[in-house]
Amino acid sequence: MPSTDEAQEEAHIEELLLVASLHENERLEKLLEEYKFTDYNAVDVQNAQGMSPLHAAIASCEKKQLNGESGSGSVSTESAACDTVRLLLESGAIWNQLNKNGETPGCVAYRLGLYDLYELMVDAGVRAEIILNRLDGYERLEDEEVEEGEPEENHRNDTQNTTAEGVDDDEVPTLIESATSMTADTSIGTYQDVNNADYLASDLVLTRDKLLDEQQNGVMMAWESGIMKRSADLLLTKPEMRILNIGAGMLIFDSFVQAHERKPAIHHIVEAHSDILTNMEAQGWNTKAGVTIHSGRWQEILPQLITENQTFDAIYYDTFAETYSDFREFFTEYVIGLLEPGGQWSFFNGMGADRQISYDVYQKVAEIDLLEAGFDVEWHDIDIPELETEWEGVKRKYWNVKQYRLPVCKFMD
Ligand SMILES: C[S@@+](CC[C@H](N)C(=O)[O-])C[C@H]1O[C@@H](n2cnc3c(N)ncnc32)[C@H](O)[C@@H]1O
């Protein structure tokens, strides 16, 4: 038997969920005010199924559609739900809580085809991520002031955490609170349990169709060949260019570059992992005409290239187990010094690709940061076929969206 307090809390939760699902905003506002000083955060309560007021406000549109309420059900119901969702978000609701099916409120909206609601949830995610990224910058500044010269300790991984408006940064949930993270096999995004230093110290296993680290995380997979080919095609706009690639991996991108009809005159590759470097040597990459291999982390190599006044017509960035703030550092600090004025650059866009809403949130976050850094981005969509057997032996399926959005960036006019 639940205690009286527990019973009261359960009753409050059910009441809040019901009122949210009915889109009764005035009543909802009153309840949020009334329960403001309880131990639980009324706007983010969850029932035994993990349903929060945001989930309830969105999920109830399905029932109303099925019942044929409000005419066809969808337009007026969705617009009422949008008002409720706005109210909850303005009251500080966390945008990315998971229900027991592993769905955020935005995932529910996407599954039900409620695109206005989905867009509201994406925008909430973008706002939260941007605030968090800014907070991260301030934290780092403070750390530097306090402990000048000390290495950064236990620094939070930007792509993995996010905050809802009004939530203390220390309490923020991970972008998606589950085994998933804002990550992919890439550069921009990283596995929750791998950081760059650990990855670089681990032994790699390279087979015909995949490259795995010691924990069976997929570092690179052959199914990404189409993406690599298109990236090379879009970057190599004329023959005899100078191209820089950061992250060799399975050498898929670099092989397309070398075999290309508009083969570059100069092809630099930056790679930090000793196993990959050994493999490159074994395959004769060290002696290929026009190819220069730089052994080390891009964080050490790129400043040297800038000091030597080396510039490139095209740059590609695809590393592993790095954070979004590493990526942002790359394009805010280095691309400006390395890219020729009329040049183009691209990156493996795998941020948040384990679920549609994270992918959409991070596309917008990146676009905003790229604009702020002075870059225009053009997105090219590539259909990704259904992937199944590909994941055998891989710890976590890091790709779960139907279309890859390939970015091509250039300096703003
Ligand atoms: C996803 S793979 C690149 C795949 C490559 N685009 C291909 O087509 O096969 C990432 C690569 O980045 C390298 N890497 C990771 N962190 C790095 C860093 N900080 N500097 C340079 N290379 C790094 C990894 O060792 C790995 O070889």
Short mmCIF file of all heavy atoms in Angstrom, two decimals, residues 185-186 196 199-200 204 211 219-220 228 245-254 270-273 276 296-299 316 318-320 322, ligand 1:
data_model
loop_
_atom_site.label_atom_id
_atom_site.label_comp_id
_atom_site.label_asym_id
_atom_site.label_seq_id
_atom_site.Cartn_x
_atom_site.Cartn_y
_atom_site.Cartn_z
N ASP A 185 29.69 7.39 -35.40
CA ASP A 185 31.01 6.82 -35.52
C ASP A 185 32.01 7.91 -35.68
O ASP A 185 33.02 7.73 -36.26
CB ASP A 185 31.06 5.99 -36.77
CG ASP A 185 31.05 6.85 -37.99
OD1 ASP A 185 30.39 7.89 -37.99
OD2 ASP A 185 31.71 6.52 -38.95
N THR A 186 31.64 9.05 -35.30
CA THR A 186 32.37 10.13 -35.85
C THR A 186 32.94 11.08 -34.85
O THR A 186 32.60 11.07 -33.71
CB THR A 186 31.44 10.92 -36.71
OG1 THR A 186 31.99 12.17 -36.86
CG2 THR A 186 30.13 11.05 -36.09
N ASN A 196 38.56 10.28 -26.39
CA ASN A 196 39.58 10.21 -27.43
C ASN A 196 40.86 9.55 -26.93
O ASN A 196 41.45 8.72 -27.63
CB ASN A 196 39.83 11.62 -27.97
CG ASN A 196 40.51 11.61 -29.33
OD1 ASN A 196 41.63 12.06 -29.46
ND2 ASN A 196 39.85 11.08 -30.34
N TYR A 199 40.36 5.80 -26.59
CA TYR A 199 40.27 5.21 -27.93
C TYR A 199 41.66 5.10 -28.56
O TYR A 199 42.03 4.05 -29.09
CB TYR A 199 39.33 6.05 -28.81
CG TYR A 199 39.58 5.81 -30.27
CD1 TYR A 199 39.20 4.59 -30.86
CD2 TYR A 199 40.27 6.73 -31.06
CE1 TYR A 199 39.50 4.33 -32.19
CE2 TYR A 199 40.55 6.48 -32.38
CZ TYR A 199 40.17 5.27 -32.95
OH TYR A 199 40.47 5.00 -34.25
N LEU A 200 42.42 6.18 -28.48
CA LEU A 200 43.74 6.17 -29.13
C LEU A 200 44.69 5.15 -28.49
O LEU A 200 45.62 4.68 -29.14
CB LEU A 200 44.36 7.58 -29.13
CG LEU A 200 43.64 8.60 -30.02
CD1 LEU A 200 44.26 9.98 -29.89
CD2 LEU A 200 43.64 8.17 -31.49
N LEU A 204 42.89 -1.82 -32.21
CA LEU A 204 41.77 -1.81 -33.15
C LEU A 204 41.71 -3.12 -33.91
O LEU A 204 42.72 -3.81 -34.09
CB LEU A 204 41.94 -0.66 -34.16
CG LEU A 204 42.08 0.74 -33.58
CD1 LEU A 204 42.15 1.77 -34.70
CD2 LEU A 204 40.91 1.06 -32.64
N LEU A 211 35.70 -1.37 -38.87
CA LEU A 211 36.83 -1.07 -38.00
C LEU A 211 36.25 -0.91 -36.60
O LEU A 211 35.37 -0.07 -36.37
CB LEU A 211 37.48 0.25 -38.46
CG LEU A 211 38.61 0.83 -37.60
CD1 LEU A 211 39.83 -0.08 -37.59
CD2 LEU A 211 39.03 2.20 -38.16
N VAL A 219 34.03 2.06 -35.24
CA VAL A 219 34.75 3.30 -35.53
C VAL A 219 34.40 3.74 -36.96
O VAL A 219 34.12 4.91 -37.22
CB VAL A 219 36.28 3.08 -35.39
CG1 VAL A 219 37.05 4.35 -35.74
CG2 VAL A 219 36.63 2.59 -33.99
N MET A 220 34.37 2.75 -37.87
CA MET A 220 34.03 3.05 -39.26
C MET A 220 33.45 1.78 -39.86
O MET A 220 33.86 0.68 -39.48
CB MET A 220 35.29 3.48 -40.03
CG MET A 220 35.07 3.81 -41.47
SD MET A 220 34.02 5.29 -41.63
CE MET A 220 33.69 5.31 -43.39
N MET A 228 31.06 8.49 -48.21
CA MET A 228 32.44 8.93 -48.44
C MET A 228 32.64 9.31 -49.91
O MET A 228 33.28 10.30 -50.24
CB MET A 228 33.44 7.82 -48.05
CG MET A 228 33.42 7.51 -46.57
SD MET A 228 33.88 8.96 -45.58
CE MET A 228 32.65 8.93 -44.30
N ASN A 245 42.59 15.69 -45.39
CA ASN A 245 41.61 14.82 -44.72
C ASN A 245 42.06 14.54 -43.30
O ASN A 245 43.21 14.18 -43.06
CB ASN A 245 41.46 13.49 -45.47
CG ASN A 245 40.50 12.57 -44.73
OD1 ASN A 245 39.49 13.04 -44.18
ND2 ASN A 245 40.80 11.29 -44.68
N ILE A 246 41.14 14.69 -42.36
CA ILE A 246 41.47 14.45 -40.95
C ILE A 246 40.73 13.20 -40.49
O ILE A 246 39.49 13.18 -40.42
CB ILE A 246 41.08 15.68 -40.11
CG1 ILE A 246 41.91 16.87 -40.61
CG2 ILE A 246 41.33 15.44 -38.63
CD1 ILE A 246 41.30 18.20 -40.32
N GLY A 247 41.47 12.14 -40.21
CA GLY A 247 40.88 10.86 -39.80
C GLY A 247 40.87 9.89 -40.96
O GLY A 247 40.00 9.96 -41.83
N ALA A 248 41.82 8.93 -40.97
CA ALA A 248 41.95 8.02 -42.12
C ALA A 248 41.02 6.82 -42.01
O ALA A 248 40.42 6.38 -43.00
CB ALA A 248 43.40 7.55 -42.25
N GLY A 249 40.90 6.23 -40.80
CA GLY A 249 39.99 5.10 -40.58
C GLY A 249 40.27 3.95 -41.53
O GLY A 249 41.38 3.41 -41.59
N MET A 250 39.24 3.56 -42.30
CA MET A 250 39.39 2.46 -43.26
C MET A 250 39.91 2.96 -44.61
O MET A 250 39.92 2.21 -45.58
CB MET A 250 38.04 1.75 -43.44
CG MET A 250 37.59 1.00 -42.20
SD MET A 250 35.91 0.36 -42.33
CE MET A 250 36.14 -1.02 -43.47
N LEU A 251 40.28 4.22 -44.68
CA LEU A 251 40.84 4.84 -45.88
C LEU A 251 39.85 4.85 -47.04
O LEU A 251 40.23 4.93 -48.20
CB LEU A 251 42.14 4.11 -46.29
CG LEU A 251 43.30 4.35 -45.32
CD1 LEU A 251 44.31 3.22 -45.40
CD2 LEU A 251 43.98 5.69 -45.63
N ILE A 252 38.58 4.78 -46.71
CA ILE A 252 37.56 4.75 -47.77
C ILE A 252 37.52 6.10 -48.47
O ILE A 252 37.62 6.19 -49.70
CB ILE A 252 36.18 4.37 -47.19
CG1 ILE A 252 36.26 2.98 -46.54
CG2 ILE A 252 35.12 4.40 -48.27
CD1 ILE A 252 34.98 2.55 -45.81
N PHE A 253 37.41 7.17 -47.68
CA PHE A 253 37.38 8.51 -48.27
C PHE A 253 38.67 8.76 -49.06
O PHE A 253 38.62 9.19 -50.22
CB PHE A 253 37.21 9.57 -47.17
CG PHE A 253 37.26 10.98 -47.67
CD1 PHE A 253 36.15 11.57 -48.24
CD2 PHE A 253 38.44 11.72 -47.60
CE1 PHE A 253 36.20 12.88 -48.73
CE2 PHE A 253 38.49 13.03 -48.08
CZ PHE A 253 37.37 13.61 -48.64
N ASP A 254 39.81 8.45 -48.44
CA ASP A 254 41.09 8.74 -49.10
C ASP A 254 41.25 7.94 -50.39
O ASP A 254 41.82 8.43 -51.36
CB ASP A 254 42.25 8.47 -48.12
CG ASP A 254 42.23 9.45 -46.97
OD1 ASP A 254 42.34 10.67 -47.23
OD2 ASP A 254 42.06 9.02 -45.82
N VAL A 270 45.70 13.51 -41.87
CA VAL A 270 46.10 13.57 -40.45
C VAL A 270 45.49 12.36 -39.76
O VAL A 270 44.26 12.13 -39.85
CB VAL A 270 45.56 14.86 -39.79
CG1 VAL A 270 45.95 14.90 -38.31
CG2 VAL A 270 46.08 16.09 -40.51
N GLU A 271 46.29 11.58 -39.07
CA GLU A 271 45.78 10.38 -38.38
C GLU A 271 46.53 10.20 -37.07
O GLU A 271 47.75 10.31 -37.02
CB GLU A 271 45.93 9.14 -39.27
CG GLU A 271 45.58 7.83 -38.61
CD GLU A 271 44.16 7.77 -37.98
OE1 GLU A 271 43.19 8.13 -38.66
OE2 GLU A 271 44.06 7.38 -36.80
N ALA A 272 45.76 9.86 -36.01
CA ALA A 272 46.38 9.80 -34.67
C ALA A 272 46.59 8.38 -34.16
O ALA A 272 47.37 8.18 -33.23
CB ALA A 272 45.50 10.57 -33.69
N HIS A 273 45.88 7.39 -34.70
CA HIS A 273 45.97 6.05 -34.09
C HIS A 273 47.11 5.24 -34.72
O HIS A 273 47.18 5.09 -35.94
CB HIS A 273 44.65 5.31 -34.26
CG HIS A 273 44.51 4.19 -33.28
ND1 HIS A 273 45.33 3.07 -33.30
CD2 HIS A 273 43.69 4.02 -32.21
CE1 HIS A 273 45.00 2.27 -32.30
NE2 HIS A 273 44.01 2.83 -31.62
N ILE A 276 46.20 2.43 -37.20
CA ILE A 276 45.80 2.92 -38.53
C ILE A 276 47.04 3.35 -39.31
O ILE A 276 47.19 3.06 -40.51
CB ILE A 276 44.81 4.11 -38.41
CG1 ILE A 276 43.59 3.74 -37.57
CG2 ILE A 276 44.41 4.64 -39.78
CD1 ILE A 276 42.58 2.85 -38.22
N GLY A 296 49.58 11.96 -35.72
CA GLY A 296 49.30 12.71 -34.49
C GLY A 296 47.88 13.21 -34.49
O GLY A 296 47.15 13.08 -35.48
N ARG A 297 47.50 13.81 -33.37
CA ARG A 297 46.16 14.35 -33.26
C ARG A 297 46.09 15.66 -34.05
O ARG A 297 47.06 16.41 -34.09
CB ARG A 297 45.80 14.61 -31.79
CG ARG A 297 45.83 13.35 -30.94
CD ARG A 297 45.43 13.68 -29.51
NE ARG A 297 44.00 13.93 -29.41
CZ ARG A 297 43.47 14.94 -28.71
NH1 ARG A 297 44.24 15.78 -28.04
NH2 ARG A 297 42.17 15.11 -28.66
N TRP A 298 44.93 15.91 -34.64
CA TRP A 298 44.80 17.15 -35.43
C TRP A 298 45.05 18.37 -34.55
O TRP A 298 45.54 19.39 -35.02
CB TRP A 298 43.45 17.23 -36.14
CG TRP A 298 42.22 17.24 -35.27
CD1 TRP A 298 41.42 16.19 -34.95
CD2 TRP A 298 41.64 18.39 -34.60
NE1 TRP A 298 40.39 16.59 -34.12
CE2 TRP A 298 40.49 17.92 -33.89
CE3 TRP A 298 41.97 19.73 -34.53
CZ2 TRP A 298 39.68 18.78 -33.13
CZ3 TRP A 298 41.16 20.58 -33.76
CH2 TRP A 298 40.04 20.10 -33.08
N GLN A 299 44.76 18.23 -33.26
CA GLN A 299 44.95 19.35 -32.33
C GLN A 299 46.42 19.78 -32.29
O GLN A 299 46.71 20.94 -32.00
CB GLN A 299 44.48 18.95 -30.93
CG GLN A 299 42.96 18.80 -30.77
CD GLN A 299 42.40 17.43 -31.15
OE1 GLN A 299 43.07 16.66 -31.84
NE2 GLN A 299 41.19 17.14 -30.73
N TYR A 316 38.29 17.71 -45.29
CA TYR A 316 37.26 16.78 -44.78
C TYR A 316 37.64 16.40 -43.36
O TYR A 316 38.82 16.21 -43.06
CB TYR A 316 37.18 15.52 -45.66
CG TYR A 316 35.97 14.67 -45.32
CD1 TYR A 316 34.69 15.20 -45.44
CD2 TYR A 316 36.11 13.36 -44.89
CE1 TYR A 316 33.57 14.44 -45.10
CE2 TYR A 316 34.99 12.59 -44.56
CZ TYR A 316 33.73 13.14 -44.67
OH TYR A 316 32.62 12.40 -44.33
N ASP A 318 36.63 13.77 -40.19
CA ASP A 318 35.88 12.59 -39.73
C ASP A 318 36.77 11.85 -38.74
O ASP A 318 37.57 11.01 -39.12
CB ASP A 318 35.54 11.69 -40.93
CG ASP A 318 34.75 10.46 -40.51
OD1 ASP A 318 34.30 10.39 -39.36
OD2 ASP A 318 34.57 9.56 -41.37
N THR A 319 36.63 12.19 -37.47
CA THR A 319 37.46 11.53 -36.46
C THR A 319 36.58 10.60 -35.62
O THR A 319 35.51 10.19 -36.07
CB THR A 319 38.18 12.57 -35.56
OG1 THR A 319 37.21 13.26 -34.81
CG2 THR A 319 39.03 13.50 -36.38
N PHE A 320 37.00 10.26 -34.45
CA PHE A 320 36.22 9.32 -33.62
C PHE A 320 36.42 9.65 -32.15
O PHE A 320 37.53 10.03 -31.75
CB PHE A 320 36.67 7.88 -33.90
CG PHE A 320 35.91 6.87 -33.08
CD1 PHE A 320 34.61 6.53 -33.40
CD2 PHE A 320 36.50 6.28 -31.97
CE1 PHE A 320 33.90 5.62 -32.63
CE2 PHE A 320 35.80 5.36 -31.19
CZ PHE A 320 34.50 5.03 -31.53
N GLU A 322 35.39 12.02 -30.32
CA GLU A 322 35.64 13.41 -29.95
C GLU A 322 34.30 14.08 -29.66
O GLU A 322 33.24 13.56 -30.02
CB GLU A 322 36.38 14.13 -31.07
CG GLU A 322 37.79 13.58 -31.23
CD GLU A 322 38.72 14.55 -31.92
OE1 GLU A 322 38.47 14.87 -33.08
OE2 GLU A 322 39.67 14.99 -31.27
C1 LIG B 1 35.53 7.32 -38.55
S1 LIG B 1 37.22 7.06 -38.83
C2 LIG B 1 37.48 7.88 -40.36
C3 LIG B 1 36.90 7.09 -41.50
C4 LIG B 1 37.35 7.59 -42.84
N1 LIG B 1 36.61 8.78 -43.21
C5 LIG B 1 37.16 6.53 -43.89
O1 LIG B 1 36.63 6.89 -44.95
O2 LIG B 1 37.51 5.37 -43.70
C6 LIG B 1 37.95 8.15 -37.68
C7 LIG B 1 39.46 8.21 -37.72
O3 LIG B 1 39.88 9.37 -36.99
C8 LIG B 1 41.04 9.06 -36.23
N2 LIG B 1 41.13 10.01 -35.12
C9 LIG B 1 40.45 10.02 -33.95
N3 LIG B 1 40.76 11.08 -33.22
C10 LIG B 1 41.68 11.78 -33.93
C11 LIG B 1 42.38 13.01 -33.69
N4 LIG B 1 42.17 13.70 -32.59
N5 LIG B 1 43.25 13.43 -34.62
C12 LIG B 1 43.43 12.72 -35.76
N6 LIG B 1 42.80 11.55 -36.03
C13 LIG B 1 41.93 11.10 -35.14
C14 LIG B 1 40.77 7.63 -35.82
O4 LIG B 1 41.93 6.95 -35.43
C15 LIG B 1 40.14 7.03 -37.07
O5 LIG B 1 41.11 6.52 -37.91
#
